[in-house]
Amino acid sequence: MSADPANPRLGWNVLRDVGELVEYHFMVNALLAGAIVAVMSAAVGWVMVLRRQTFAGHTLSMMAFPGASAATLAGLPVAWGYFAFCGAGALIIGRVGGSERRTWSEESASIGTFQAVALAAGFLFVSLYGGVLGDLDSLLFGDVLGISDGQVLVLASVAAASLAVLVVLARPLLFASVDPDVAGARGVPVRALSVVFLAVLGLAVAATSQITGPLLVFALLLMPAASAQTITARPIPSLALTLLFGVGVTWLGLGISYFSVYPAGFFIATISFAGYVLVRAGAALLGVRRARPADPMPVDGVIA
Amino acid sequence: MAATEHERRSGPALELDGAAVRLGGRTVWSDVSMRVGPGEFVALLGANGSGKSTLLKVALGTLALSAGRASVLGRAPGEASRSIGYLPQRRAFDAGTRLRGRDIVRLGLDGDRWGLPVRAPWGRGAARGRAAALRVEAAIAMVGADGYAERSIGECSGGEQQRLLIAQALVGRPELFLLDEPLDSLDLPNQAAVAALVAELCRSTGVAVLLVAHDVNPLLPYLDRVVYLARGRAVEGPVEQVITSETLTALYGLPVEVLKASDGRLVVVGQPEPPAHHHDRHDHSHAHVG
């Protein structure tokens, strides 16, 4: 049976629907790229949530917009702009954010100023490009159906490299994330790890931007990890759930959007959000997040 | 108990000789000589800003002396980091930190090793994995944290977190245990309980303890010696010799009176202490920047 991409039909036979999806090269590329990016951003996002660096992640995703518009203005592939700007942004945040021991509010303030300038630059680039830029949508929300074989290859290499870095850094990075003082005392290079992680975060944001666009990066970077960490505090299961959610949400969103007239990014973000709401509601109902219990009284009391 | 049979060195765990530290052009303290012998329980006392945390940083090797000599477990500071357990000054883990107490303890064992903790599920790899799990288990039992080690660390109370962090510091069987104000954020019953726990661990595992404190009273029954820092100088000795009106008056250069309550508690009157309570950390970090 031959399908018509201009007129997809959703039937009751799931196998045939999936078969219709993968009959088109652009859909295969979209599903492949989506899965690669979902795995990468799930793993990076899991660490990001644990490190409480969502604001840095958000700022990097805002960097993706001037990156994409600058690349378009210069006549270069958009992906180059994503990687260049997110990478540079990560290095700048690494210098500005954690140059000395600062409080979170100071750090957020300096990162926030940086974010505003980045968005302003993106706005400028779009204006400079003039009226011919009819494709603002894909600059903001990505262009998952236009992914080429070459892009899939680039995404796969970037993801493999980032995951390799995360695997090598795994334990010291976790240590430095939750307990920087003790980790530093044990000889873990806390500061260097923070810079390397920001660089990996920048790569993950740049890769994710190509699927969801800069504005919806958190659908894959934040929500799977946040949902999984709500479900369990055990590191291995929560990491596995994060990967599962990321890939599941991406494929489901792509699949649904194929049979509908609405863009994939919308479905990916909405399904991701629905999952998060469900998990939080379930956790609230089951009382997973108990109130802090009182300290048990010790055997030897002391007179105050 | 876990580590009683562990072989201990005979030399001092920590030794400073004529040591001085300068931070941002200011001498924090100078001509400080002190030692913590193997298995000893020593308290490091002094007002806020007297340089107690600075002394711990010297022992950890994260801060260099400007004069004098320091040796940690017979080596230069910083070369023995795996043999030191460290409990930094802190408030608490964020309530949303989604890792179990057990995972936090485990980081103390091999959190500084690169790579994932993946081992082959057979042969020597499996045996080593089991041994690591047993040591984590033993450390948790040692501090009495079995009841909440499975809970997310952010959901544990301050006293529970403190016990888990003590387990984290001791799971690697260090020879020197440095604690920075471990009693500071706890209520009185928990202060007494944590002081008793540290003393018991010092005795049972033979680890040498240097504990920074504001208030010596919760520690009085357990201490071998105290080191008192004030006005850039230090006095070292047994509690009854150091915390006296004469010694502290000489140290501060101001009339200071030590009173003894009927229950044995010591009260230092007239000690020129700045009112700030939680700024220790900030003071040091600013000194670093400058």
Side-chain angles (χ1 to χ4, degrees):
Chain A
M1 174 198 142
S2 76
D4 172 11
N7 183 24
R9 280 198 325 272
L10 185 60
W12 288 108
N13 185 340
V14 179
L15 274 182
R16 210 175 71 192
D17 295 339
V18 172
E20 188 178 333
L21 271 184
V22 297
E23 206 160 308
Y24 296 101
H25 194 63
F26 75 92
M27 268 318 282
V28 173
N29 275 357
L31 290 168
L32 263 180
I36 292 165
V37 163
V39 167
M40 176 183 181
S41 59
V44 176
W46 189 82
V47 181
M48 179 188 76
V49 170
L50 212 57
R51 290 176 67 85
R52 330 219 142 266
Q53 280 190 324
T54 37
F55 190 61
H58 181 249
T59 301
L60 287 175
S61 66
M62 294 298 104
M63 287 302 291
F65 169 62
S69 49
T72 311
L73 184 62
L76 296 168
V78 176
W80 292 20
Y82 284 139
F83 283 118
F85 273 64
C86 293
L91 294 180
I92 293 172
I93 292 176
R95 281 214 70 76
V96 173
S99 48
E100 274 300 333
R101 202 197 192 105
R102 285 166 182 250
T103 61
W104 283 114
S105 54
E106 277 175 88
E107 180 168 327
S108 327
S110 45
I111 296 178
T113 9
F114 178 58
Q115 178 176 338
V117 173
L119 285 177
F123 188 34
L124 173 70
F125 296 148
V126 170
S127 310
L128 284 178
Y129 195 84
V132 206
L133 189 70
D135 217 11
L136 192 59
D137 270 9
S138 77
L139 280 190
L140 293 176
F141 296 102
D143 187 14
V144 65
L145 298 183
I147 297 228
S148 67
D149 292 355
Q151 270 176 289
V152 173
L153 210 63
V154 170
L155 286 176
S157 334
V158 170
S162 309
L163 290 177
V165 169
L166 283 189
V167 165
V168 170
L169 300 187
R171 279 179 288 183
L173 182 60
L174 189 65
F175 204 177
S177 301
V178 298
D179 213 346
D181 291 329
V182 180
R186 281 283 292 275
V188 172
V190 176
R191 182 88 188 80
L193 281 176
S194 156
V195 173
V196 172
F197 177 71
L198 276 169
V200 172
L201 183 60
L203 290 182
V205 167
T208 312
S209 295
Q210 295 172 51
I211 306 296
T212 63
L215 289 191
L216 297 180
V217 160
F218 269 16
L220 291 182
L221 194 66
L222 174 64
M223 288 203 258
S227 305
Q229 290 194 13
T230 304
I231 291 175
T232 175
R234 304 166 74 92
I236 303 294
S238 105
L239 196 51
L241 277 178
T242 307
L243 297 178
L244 196 73
F245 289 162
V247 176
V249 158
T250 307
W251 279 357
L252 212 58
L254 283 170
I256 294 175
S257 88
Y258 175 82
F259 292 106
S260 91
V261 294
Y262 303 109
F266 163 74
F267 287 108
I268 293 174
T270 308
I271 296 167
S272 201
F273 176 66
Y276 181 66
V277 169
L278 271 179
V279 164
R280 292 302 296 225
L285 277 179
L286 293 172
V288 169
R289 299 177 57 79
R290 285 177 295 263
R292 285 181 176 222
D295 269 316
M297 284 295 285
V299 190
D300 302 316
V302 108
I303 307 107
Chain B
M1 275 294 142
T4 5
E5 70 285 0
H6 198 58
E7 198 177 311
R8 298 287 172 184
R9 294 164 18 84
S10 51
L14 170 65
E15 194 166 29
L16 297 188
D17 190 14
V21 165
R22 287 177 69 80
L23 279 180
R26 183 178 75 98
T27 300
V28 183
W29 36 254
S30 59
D31 200 24
V32 169
S33 297
M34 61 159 291
R35 66 189 290 274
V36 180
E40 272 189 326
F41 191 164
V42 176
L44 180 54
L45 304 169
N48 274 330
S50 58
K52 301 180 302 254
S53 302
T54 306
L55 198 149
L56 289 197
K57 283 186 187 145
V58 167
L60 287 166
T62 54
L63 193 63
L65 290 176
S66 59
R69 201 181 57 81
S71 96
V72 180
L73 302 165
R75 278 169 280 178
E79 284 174 17
S81 63
R82 285 196 67 91
S83 304
I84 297 179
Y86 176 47
L87 187 73
Q89 187 181 35
R90 73 170 80 225
R91 309 188 97 112
F93 282 97
D94 190 288
T97 305
R98 295 290 285 163
L99 275 182
R100 296 170 300 171
R102 173 182 311 282
D103 304 316
I104 300 290
V105 175
R106 176 65 189 254
L107 284 173
L109 188 62
D110 56 7
D112 56 343
R113 299 261 164 90
W114 301 106
L116 286 169
V118 181
R119 290 192 176 83
W122 59 83
R124 270 184 39 197
R128 246 184 272 148
R130 271 196 306 276
L134 279 176
R135 276 174 74 169
V136 171
E137 217 51 57
I140 289 169
M142 196 164 76
V143 299
D146 317 70
Y148 41 84
E150 286 297 317
R151 220 187 288 153
S152 164
I153 186 84
E155 291 169 9
C156 293
S157 71
E160 290 169 347
Q161 291 188 9
Q162 200 66 290
R163 285 176 183 78
L164 286 164
L165 288 168
I166 290 173
Q168 182 201 54
L170 293 183
V171 69
R173 293 176 190 166
E175 294 175 63
L176 175 61
F177 188 13
L178 305 171
L179 302 92
D180 198 351
E181 306 263 15
L183 309 179
D184 203 31
S185 53
L186 302 177
D187 54 21
L188 280 174
N190 264 303
Q191 286 191 4
V194 168
L197 174 65
V198 173
E200 158 64 17
L201 294 171
C202 174
R203 199 192 52 73
S204 65
T205 69
V207 66
V209 175
L210 181 62
L211 188 152
V212 171
H214 254 84
D215 178 11
V216 72
N217 285 304
L219 305 164
L220 276 179
Y222 315 112
L223 291 177
D224 291 311
R225 275 172 312 111
V226 297
V227 175
Y228 205 108
L229 279 174
R231 292 180 36 109
R233 292 276 184 276
V235 187
E236 183 195 21
V239 178
E240 58 273 17
Q241 279 175 29
V242 172
I243 306 184
T244 62
S245 301
E246 299 74 44
T247 312
L248 293 190
T249 297
L251 186 60
Y252 277 111
L254 287 168
V256 173
E257 200 172 349
V258 177
L259 307 174
K260 192 163 189 175
S262 55
D263 60 355
R265 293 165 54 87
L266 297 172
V267 183
V268 179
V269 184
Q271 177 188 25
E273 177 159 10
H277 217 261
H278 285 292
H279 293 293
D280 226 3
R281 213 171 218 224
H282 290 282
D283 290 344
H284 287 302
S285 61
H286 284 308
H288 254 309
V289 178

